[in-house]
Amino acid sequence: MIFTFVFRTSRKLLELHERKKHIRNLHFKFYPNTSSLVSERKTEKLNMYQAINQALDITLKKDTSAVIFGEDVAFGGVFRCTVGLQKRYGSDRVFNTPLSEQGIAGFGIGLANCGTTAIAEIQFADYIFPAFDQLVNEAAKCRYRSGGMFDCGKLTIRTPCGAVGHGGHYHSQSPEAYFAHTPGLKIVIPRGPVQAKGLLLSSIEEPDPCIIFEPKILYRTAVDEVPVGHYKIEIGKGEIVKEGKDVTLIGWGTQVHVLLETADIVEEKLGASCEVIDLLSIIPWDAELVCKSVRKTGRVIVAHEAPKTNGFGAEIAARIQEECFLNLEAPIMRITGWDTPFPYIYEDLYLPDKWRCFAAVKKSLDY
Amino acid sequence: MVIYNLFKSISRLSSVRWQISIRHYCYATNVTEPQYIGIKNIFTNHLKFINAENYESIPIYRILDPAGQTHFLEENKLKLDDKTKIKIYRDMMTLNMMDKILYESQRQGRISFYMTNIGEEAVQIGSASALMLEDTIYAQYREAGVLLWRGFHISKFMNQCYGNIEDEGKGRQMPCHYGSKDLNFITISSPLTTQLPQAVGAAYAYKREKRQACVMCYFGEGAASEGDAHAAFNFAATLSCPIIFLCRNNGYAISTPAHEQFKGDGIAAKGPSYGINTIRVDGNDVLAVHYATKAARQFCISEGKPVLIEAMTYRTGPHSTSDDGTLYRTSKEIALWNDVAPIRRFKQYIQSLGIWSKEQEDNLKIIIKKEILDAFIEAEKKPKPHWKEMFTDTYFKMPDHIRDQMYSMEEHLATYYEHYPLKTFQS
């Protein structure tokens, strides 16, 4: 009797768990911050959208020219990143625009041309492509083509990116490589609340147009101790998140957590140690840090959610090959999304998850 | 306090009730007032499609007729002083003569590319003369006259076209992509219409700063087909930005005639649909363009809202030096427009006023021609900037990877210098 009850209940719980798993499958475990790039000081517990909200709040308070605009930012944004800001700073500083990405980007460039701090939101990175022309042909080239007379350095584009469990084609993309091919733009991707706040404040204050891709799956799931007040993480600097000596694992955004877990599994199952690098900045990227690590380990795996062909991993691999040719003990491996559109029901099989990364490390060590 | 609040809520409730009863009384039939968000309208029982034919075409505002006579007393009423009238004429002539000389120089292979402004002098000078220097200009590429009016020296046009060491753009862009910080003229770029939403952003910044200035944004009727135009009109209206959109409707986008560009009543008809104050002017009438722009500026600044001006004109010259205009239009058509050319029309007018003579005309031509040719020869002689300028200004500070590439080029040149035109660059 009791046995049947326990059996039924546990089966129900298991079913519920399975169903829940179907709604949102977290393919990673969040590793809290251990950053050496942010000096220790007073912290508070925040998730990533709250940390972003705080960075925006600090900016609006400090810089009276700063404005925030985009689709649905006035009521707080579809991911709550701008919540409360319009109430605090007024509708001329935090406002909705018509639904047009090319308009948002162009409008932001114009504001920045006049010295206004322009923080634009593109609702999903998947919808940044209508603004591609404005960003690639205009924002990126503004300073260069005018001989330095004009610029739009005060422009920052914030946009949610990456896999979210069920985003399908147009709520999952990681388009950083498209923009990395464009001289004049700076691109950053945080791996959690601490990095999001520091990189966002840097992007806003950088005298060049910046795009910050925010992995949307981290908005609520990533909770960490975030330094109170204003601080910055330098653009162009990567970070060694975990030290190791046998293989270098390179990633950014959510993938860093996948790689950290991979490193733990490798240590447990193979007894080897992995060095995990968070690139943080895609352009300009910290080749020096990466190459130094590869010279030490001789083996390297680059992993990203975006498709393989022409993904930013290709650039990293080529550069490592140029600079560390004599140190390499195994071919550079790229574990990435497949060269297909981002699929809906196949997401678990599409992502460069810890088992695909683990397999690559094993292969590299056995080479 | 409690009693006060109670009283307030009761009175609010009763006023709502009163409104409901009024509404009920007014619309006792089954046709009620529409409650759709964002549209103020009435219902109709009449099934009817709305099209351009249901509207009257927007008329073309004109002051000077082709014989140079003022049709209206307006010109006397508005009073443009004689000195300004002569500067208008002088600048239109200068632009026209500079175009002819630079066009020829491209034909001789001395500069790589050029775009003339012939036939559109009035749109440029007429509008520029109605603006103030603190008004920012975002242009397409056929607006050299605006810079000329603002005091961009002839030598600066030449320096840019040659990409020599004096070019503030450091020789990085094709000819005719002018820009000037001092003259508040944002550097031109080739992608069409991108400047429109940017200009709206700049206008928004002006409004927030409470500057007594507006933004002027020029574009052609072809450019108006781009998505950026739609974005810009809509943003300018919804975000209430003090901007003048000035469309040069010159009949052609390279070879594409305007009737293959749109089927409605031109560009002007789009304005009201976005909620933008709109006017269509005779673009070959410098006075009409001037006064329309002046009124638009006043409205923009006082109301903090956009204005759209469609200036009807004709591109008498080819699209660019890479284009032969006679392949897709007849010389008869071009000749027709020469008869109503803006310069000729305005000359007749100032002559009729007695402030311009044949003698002055001959003198002016000699002086301008000399000025242009002198500047041209000077610009041709100057070296190009140092080759390392190829790497600067990509970012505010040069990142390591670009610095490495610059060094690698330097190293390469140390060995292979003789294969490169290094002598033409400053060392």
Side-chain angles (χ1 to χ4, degrees):
Chain A
M1 191 70 172
I2 287 170
F3 183 76
T4 336
F5 175 76
V6 170
F7 178 74
R8 275 188 188 160
T9 317
S10 61
R11 211 177 63 177
K12 260 184 193 164
L13 276 171
L14 209 74
E15 264 173 22
L16 199 73
H17 178 72
E18 281 299 312
R19 223 177 297 151
K20 250 192 182 164
K21 215 176 135 193
H22 195 71
I23 291 166
R24 172 181 276 192
N25 176 20
L26 281 188
H27 66 284
F28 66 98
K29 184 170 103 189
F30 180 73
Y31 282 70
N33 176 54
T34 50
S35 183
S36 53
L37 297 177
V38 185
S39 54
E40 293 289 325
R41 63 179 108 173
K42 210 178 138 210
T43 61
E44 62 184 310
K45 215 174 194 88
L46 297 176
N47 67 22
M48 197 168 89
Y49 85 67
Q50 290 165 330
I52 289 164
N53 184 273
Q54 215 178 56
L56 297 172
D57 188 44
I58 288 169
T59 302
L60 289 170
K61 196 180 288 168
K62 186 171 104 155
D63 175 356
T64 53
S65 88
V67 292
I68 294 172
F69 52 95
E71 295 157 14
D72 306 300
V73 299
F75 88 113
V78 296
F79 289 110
R80 314 312 292 149
C81 292
T82 53
V83 85
L85 297 176
Q86 189 184 58
K87 214 171 175 186
R88 244 168 286 156
Y89 297 98
S91 56
D92 69 320
R93 300 192 64 195
V94 181
F95 51 93
N96 289 339
T97 64
L99 207 161
S100 165
E101 287 75 17
Q102 61 197 99
I104 292 168
F107 183 78
I109 293 168
L111 283 167
N113 281 161
C114 294
T116 297
T117 299
I119 307 165
E121 180 180 304
I122 301 291
Q123 205 162 73
F124 286 85
D126 312 63
Y127 306 127
I128 203 166
F129 301 111
F132 201 64
D133 184 39
Q134 285 285 354
L135 295 171
V136 171
N137 275 332
E138 295 292 319
K141 296 170 178 55
C142 187
R143 188 192 301 279
Y144 188 79
R145 71 166 179 239
S146 67
M149 257 189 290
F150 299 100
D151 68 81
C152 60
K154 294 199 161 213
L155 172 69
T156 300
I157 307 275
R158 291 182 41 242
T159 185
C161 74
V164 71
H166 51 268
H169 297 347
Y170 308 112
H171 299 83
S172 311
Q173 292 182 55
S174 299
E176 65 271 9
Y178 290 104
F179 294 95
H181 198 54
T182 305
L185 296 176
K186 287 186 173 171
I187 301 159
V188 298
I189 309 181
R191 70 167 185 278
V194 178
Q195 290 71 26
K197 186 176 166 185
L199 284 174
L200 179 54
L201 283 168
S202 284
S203 298
I204 291 167
E205 292 166 27
E206 197 79 350
D208 292 304
C210 297
I211 305 176
I212 174 165
F213 289 105
E214 302 165 355
K216 67 181 90 63
I217 201 164
L218 301 175
Y219 278 138
R220 286 167 190 274
T221 56
V223 181
D224 212 339
E225 289 292 335
V226 180
V228 178
H230 183 279
Y231 67 94
K232 296 208 280 189
I233 292 176
E234 193 185 335
I235 295 175
K237 287 269 171 281
E239 187 190 352
I240 295 175
V241 190
K242 181 183 163 66
E243 293 204 29
K245 57 180 179 41
D246 299 317
V247 193
T248 301
L249 310 181
I250 304 162
W252 50 89
T254 320
Q255 194 65 24
V256 175
H257 303 290
V258 175
L259 294 178
L260 283 167
E261 203 177 340
T262 304
D264 287 347
I265 302 171
V266 167
E267 201 164 322
E268 186 197 311
K269 291 194 189 292
L270 307 175
S273 83
C274 300
E275 181 143 296
V276 179
I277 293 179
D278 180 358
L279 212 55
L280 291 161
S281 291
I282 302 299
I283 218 81
W285 65 285
D286 200 342
E288 204 185 312
L289 183 88
V290 166
C291 292
K292 202 176 147 199
S293 171
V294 176
R295 275 186 214 111
K296 180 174 75 178
T297 62
R299 294 170 204 276
V300 53
I301 280 127
V302 190
H304 54 67
E305 287 180 13
K308 186 169 193 173
T309 301
N310 261 346
F312 197 65
E315 173 60 32
I316 297 171
R319 184 73 182 270
I320 291 171
Q321 180 272 141
E322 271 175 25
E323 299 206 4
C324 313
F325 188 69
L326 296 175
N327 307 92
L328 287 172
E329 304 284 347
I332 302 162
M333 291 181 196
R334 288 179 287 153
I335 305 304
T336 68
W338 306 116
D339 284 348
T340 67
F342 198 107
Y344 180 56
I345 58 159
Y346 311 101
E347 182 164 325
D348 293 344
L349 299 147
Y350 175 87
L351 286 174
D353 69 351
K354 57 191 174 197
W355 296 114
R356 281 179 58 205
C357 291
F358 172 79
V361 174
K362 190 165 182 298
K363 230 180 190 172
S364 180
L365 288 168
D366 294 345
Y367 189 80
Chain B
M1 195 64 195
V2 176
I3 295 169
Y4 171 76
N5 278 345
L6 197 72
F7 177 74
K8 229 170 86 179
S9 59
I10 289 172
S11 70
R12 200 183 299 142
L13 206 72
S14 64
S15 94
V16 168
R17 243 190 197 169
W18 186 75
Q19 280 176 16
I20 292 169
S21 67
I22 287 283
R23 181 164 290 168
H24 186 73
Y25 171 76
C26 288
Y27 300 97
T29 63
N30 54 4
V31 180
T32 53
E33 197 181 331
Q35 297 296 321
Y36 302 111
I37 295 159
I39 297 288
K40 280 189 196 128
N41 209 335
I42 53 159
F43 285 117
T44 174
N45 293 326
H46 183 50
L47 197 160
K48 179 186 166 192
F49 293 114
I50 307 296
N51 201 341
E53 287 95 65
N54 302 113
Y55 294 109
E56 271 180 54
S57 173
I58 297 173
I60 304 163
Y61 174 64
R62 170 187 275 185
I63 293 174
L64 278 178
D65 75 10
Q69 301 300 312
T70 47
H71 257 179
F72 311 101
L73 293 171
E74 222 162 317
E75 157 63 351
N76 295 329
K77 211 167 63 197
L78 294 161
K79 282 214 175 69
L80 202 60
D81 63 50
D82 291 350
K83 218 176 115 191
T84 312
K85 281 181 192 146
I86 289 177
K87 178 164 161 55
I88 286 176
Y89 185 68
R90 198 197 135 93
D91 280 5
M92 289 203 291
M93 280 294 282
T94 308
L95 182 63
N96 191 269
M97 290 173 73
M98 184 173 80
D99 275 353
K100 285 174 180 159
I101 290 168
L102 285 177
Y103 182 81
E104 283 310 315
S105 78
Q106 194 281 336
R107 299 279 101 173
Q108 294 165 13
R110 295 166 88 169
I111 57 173
S112 68
F113 178 80
Y114 194 71
M115 299 181 109
T116 67
N117 304 277
I118 299 164
E120 297 178 45
E121 296 90 346
V123 179
Q124 301 178 23
I125 306 295
S127 57
S129 59
L131 298 172
M132 306 299 278
L133 198 58
E134 55 266 32
D135 301 328
T136 295
I137 310 287
Y138 280 82
Q140 180 166 308
Y141 48 61
R142 217 180 293 284
E143 290 90 2
V146 177
L147 271 170
L148 196 68
W149 177 270
R150 294 197 156 198
F152 202 64
H153 197 267
I154 289 172
S155 61
K156 292 197 165 186
F157 290 102
M158 309 291 168
N159 292 334
Q160 199 281 330
C161 289
Y162 270 106
N164 68 24
I165 193 159
E166 301 288 333
D167 170 25
E168 287 182 291
K170 304 186 185 170
R172 291 177 184 141
Q173 288 210 90
M174 283 173 74
C176 300
H177 290 56
Y178 311 113
S180 171
K181 185 96 186 165
D182 297 341
L183 302 178
N184 214 359
F185 188 104
I186 308 281
T187 300
I188 289 164
S189 72
S190 310
L192 287 181
T193 331
T194 47
Q195 79 277 18
L196 266 73
Q198 295 169 14
V200 177
Y204 188 87
Y206 274 24
K207 194 177 160 181
R208 273 207 66 223
E209 290 166 15
K210 297 193 169 58
R211 281 200 224 178
Q212 288 301 299
C214 70
V215 173
M216 170 60 113
C217 183
Y218 294 91
F219 58 104
E221 91 287 348
S225 296
E226 292 279 2
D228 273 333
H230 165 60
F233 296 151
N234 204 18
F235 275 51
T238 56
L239 299 170
S240 295
C241 301
I243 178 172
I244 306 172
F245 293 108
L246 197 156
C247 176
R248 299 177 287 96
N249 187 343
N250 62 15
Y252 288 91
I254 307 188
S255 72
T256 306
H259 56 77
E260 290 176 20
Q261 204 68 246
F262 50 74
K263 275 285 167 272
D265 183 27
I267 309 306
K270 297 176 197 281
S273 71
Y274 288 99
I276 296 177
N277 266 23
T278 301
I279 187 169
R280 177 176 274 153
V281 300
D282 182 342
N284 285 14
D285 172 355
V286 72
L287 294 176
V289 178
H290 176 89
Y291 291 124
T293 309
K294 202 170 168 182
R297 181 179 191 271
Q298 212 163 15
F299 173 85
C300 275
I301 296 172
S302 64
E303 303 288 317
K305 285 178 184 162
V307 173
L308 171 63
I309 301 173
E310 182 183 24
M312 304 305 295
T313 182
Y314 185 81
R315 194 197 74 213
T316 317
H319 166 69
S320 74
T321 48
S322 309
D323 172 51
D324 177 1
T326 58
L327 290 176
Y328 47 82
R329 53 186 191 175
T330 61
S331 46
K332 204 173 135 198
E333 184 187 298
I334 299 169
L336 177 85
W337 285 93
N338 273 326
D339 288 344
V340 293
I343 294 182
R344 182 191 292 199
R345 208 193 276 189
F346 193 61
K347 184 167 86 179
Q348 285 168 345
Y349 173 60
I350 53 174
Q351 278 174 337
S352 77
L353 291 178
I355 58 170
W356 194 250
S357 64
K358 192 178 176 304
E359 211 185 329
Q360 278 168 300
E361 174 87 5
D362 294 343
N363 261 337
L364 180 76
K365 278 186 180 166
I366 293 165
I367 294 166
I368 297 174
K369 195 172 178 186
K370 187 176 172 340
E371 213 176 329
I372 295 170
L373 287 174
D374 286 353
F376 182 80
I377 292 160
E378 272 302 299
E380 198 167 40
K381 279 195 292 199
K382 286 186 177 127
K384 294 178 171 57
H386 194 285
W387 67 264
K388 282 187 181 171
E389 292 288 6
M390 178 165 68
F391 293 94
T392 60
D393 298 323
T394 306
Y395 294 93
F396 178 69
K397 258 175 69 187
M398 192 184 288
D400 291 346
H401 69 284
I402 297 183
R403 194 172 299 280
D404 290 348
Q405 290 172 18
M406 189 174 79
Y407 290 153
S408 119
M409 187 64 195
E410 194 167 29
E411 211 179 290
H412 175 73
L413 288 175
T415 314
Y416 298 96
Y417 59 91
E418 79 252 37
H419 303 295
Y420 298 90
L422 283 180
K423 275 183 209 142
T424 59
F425 293 94
Q426 199 202 26
S427 49

